[in-house]
Amino acid sequence: MLALQKTEAAPGLSLREVAEPGLPQAGEVVLAIEATGVCGTDVHIAHWTLGYESMTSAMPVTIGHETCGRVLRVGAGVDPALIGRRVTVRPSVLCHACPACLSGDEDNCTGRRGVGIGRNGAFAPFLTVLAENCVPVPDGMAAEIAALTEPLTVCREAVDTAGLKGGERVLILGPGSIGQGIALFAEAAGAGEIAIVGRDDAARLQRLNALGFPNTVDSAGTSLRAALAPWLETGGFDVILEATGAPSVIPEALSVLAKRGTLVVVGIHPAPAQVDLTALVRNHQSIRGSYRAPVATWAEVLTFLDRNAERVGRMISHHFPMSEADRAVAEAGGKAASKVMVLQEAPA
Ligand SMILES: [Zn+2]
Ligand SMILES: [Zn+2]
C-alpha cells in the first residue's frame, strides 16, 4: 500500500510502498482509512523543525493522526459489532505501565506514543490501532467531518484552559485551522467580541469571515498594537489565545492583554519567547499552556461536530487523493490553506 512516511531525521517525507498490516493482535483493530487531515505537526515533521527528535527511533514511520475510517477487522477481545463502524482515532496511545496509567489517570500518562509520530499513522489506506483508541462517530457523520475531531479537541481544550467567561473580549492570534476552531468554541462559550489577527493571511482571514467571524485584522507591515488600535480604545483583551507558534508574538500579545487577563499559548514554538515579567506581575496577568484534551472532551466535540457539520466543514480548504499526500502536506504549509484533507478511495 502507498503510505506517507518519515524515513530519516532530516527535512522531507517519502510517499512509498509499504506492506499492508497483518491480522490485528488482541485488543487491536485494522481500519480502512477514509479521510485524514493534515496537521501543523505533519508540516513540522516534514520541515524537520525542532521538537520531534523523539520520533527518530520509530522511523520509517507513517505520519498522519487526524483521521476517520471504518473498522475492517478486529483482534481477540474486541467486540465484533465494531466491524463496519466509522470511527475516529484518539492518537495518544497509553503505555499502561507508568504510575499515572497504573492509577487509572490515563490523561496524565508519561509514556504515551502518538499515532502518526511514535508509531504508524493514517496517511495510508489501512491503519492498525488499539480498539481503546477508537471513538465511534455519530451515524451519518461524513468521514472528513469526523477527521476534524482531534484538532477540534485541541481547540476546545484551549478555550477550556482560558476559563473563558460569558461576555469577555477575546483575541485569537493565528487564523489557521486551530485559530478557526478556537473561534468556534470561544463563540460557543459565550465570548463577547472575538477579534482574529493574521499576518499576510488574506485567504485564511476570508475563511474566518465565511465561518461567521467578521472581525478579522491583518497585521502585515505593522505592530499588533497598531493593527488593533481601534479595539484597544476600550481597553485590552480579557483572553488571548495564541495559535501562531511565533515566539515574537508573545510580548506583543501581553501588551494588548487586559489587567488580570489570561494568555493561552497553543502554538508549538521553535525558540523561547521574551516576557517582561515585571509588567506581568503588576498587571496580574496569567500565561497558560494548552495541549492535548482529556478523553472526556472527545464525546463533547463529536456532539458539537454533529450539530454544526456544515459550518465546521467550511474549515476544509483543500482535498487531495492519497497518491498526492506529499503535495497535501506542502499545501498545508502555505498561507492559502486552512484544513487540508487527504481522501482514500473506498476499498474494493
Ligand atoms: Zn493534529
Ligand atoms: Zn502511561
Side-chain angles (χ1 to χ4, degrees):
M1 65 179 185
L2 196 59
L4 185 62
Q5 291 204 319
K6 189 74 184 175
T7 57
E8 54 179 355
L13 295 172
S14 304
L15 189 59
R16 60 205 287 258
E17 284 292 326
V18 301
E20 286 188 12
L23 290 174
Q25 305 291 306
E28 290 180 341
V29 300
V30 176
L31 304 181
I33 297 299
E34 296 178 293
T36 303
V38 182
C39 179
T41 292
D42 302 316
V43 175
H44 286 303
I45 290 170
H47 294 171
W48 202 237
T49 46
L50 288 179
Y52 296 91
E53 300 79 8
S54 68
M55 71 187 289
T56 305
S57 61
M59 293 178 194
V61 62
T62 302
I63 67 166
H65 61 270
E66 301 180 357
T67 194
C68 173
R70 285 196 189 273
V71 177
L72 197 62
R73 289 191 283 272
V74 300
V78 180
D79 183 358
L82 264 183
I83 293 172
R85 281 297 304 265
R86 182 171 272 167
V87 299
T88 185
V89 175
R90 289 191 298 105
S92 183
V93 177
L94 302 178
C95 75
H96 289 297
C98 73
C101 278
L102 294 175
S103 70
D105 178 18
E106 59 177 283
D107 286 325
N108 290 307
C109 169
T110 55
R112 61 181 70 238
R113 285 197 302 155
V115 170
I117 298 176
R119 50 181 286 155
N120 283 332
F123 289 126
F126 303 103
L127 171 64
T128 302
V129 284
L130 291 168
E132 69 181 24
N133 284 73
C134 294
V135 186
V137 309
D139 287 336
M141 182 178 285
E144 65 177 25
I145 299 298
L148 293 170
T149 310
E150 190 273 343
L152 286 175
T153 63
V154 171
C155 301
R156 168 65 194 268
E157 175 69 4
V159 172
D160 288 352
T161 299
L164 184 61
K165 294 188 276 294
E168 288 188 321
R169 301 178 81 207
V170 174
L171 174 64
I172 299 167
L173 301 173
S177 49
I178 293 295
Q180 293 169 20
I182 287 171
L184 289 166
F185 287 112
E187 180 194 76
E193 296 168 308
I194 301 175
I196 305 139
V197 175
R199 180 158 285 204
D200 264 325
D201 258 314
R204 295 191 285 200
L205 293 173
Q206 266 172 31
R207 192 157 294 273
L208 274 153
N209 300 152
L211 269 171
F213 299 98
N215 299 321
T216 51
V217 178
D218 199 318
S219 68
T222 186
S223 69
L224 191 62
R225 265 200 94 76
L228 291 168
W231 291 80
L232 297 173
E233 281 168 20
T234 49
F237 290 88
D238 302 307
V239 170
I240 301 178
L241 298 119
E242 180 279 333
T244 68
S248 62
V249 164
I250 301 300
E252 286 206 279
L254 288 168
S255 78
V256 299
L257 185 65
K259 267 202 169 181
R260 297 188 186 273
T262 301
L263 168 64
V264 176
V265 180
V266 185
I268 299 294
H269 291 248
Q274 287 231 322
V275 174
D276 179 348
L277 288 174
T278 302
L280 182 96
V281 167
R282 290 189 173 145
N283 288 315
H284 279 264
Q285 293 165 329
S286 304
I287 302 177
R288 298 178 188 167
S290 183
Y291 188 44
R292 183 191 315 104
V295 175
T297 302
W298 283 68
E300 293 173 23
V301 168
L302 277 164
T303 300
F304 181 87
L305 278 170
D306 202 28
R307 291 191 185 136
N308 300 280
E310 186 280 327
R311 187 180 183 198
V312 179
R314 291 179 229 157
M315 289 171 58
I316 301 170
S317 62
H318 295 75
H319 294 91
F320 286 87
M322 180 61 216
S323 57
E324 297 177 20
D326 49 350
R327 280 188 54 210
V329 175
E331 182 69 49
K335 290 216 168 202
S338 289
K339 182 53 71 183
V340 176
M341 275 291 156
V342 174
L343 302 178
Q344 301 286 339
E345 288 99 70

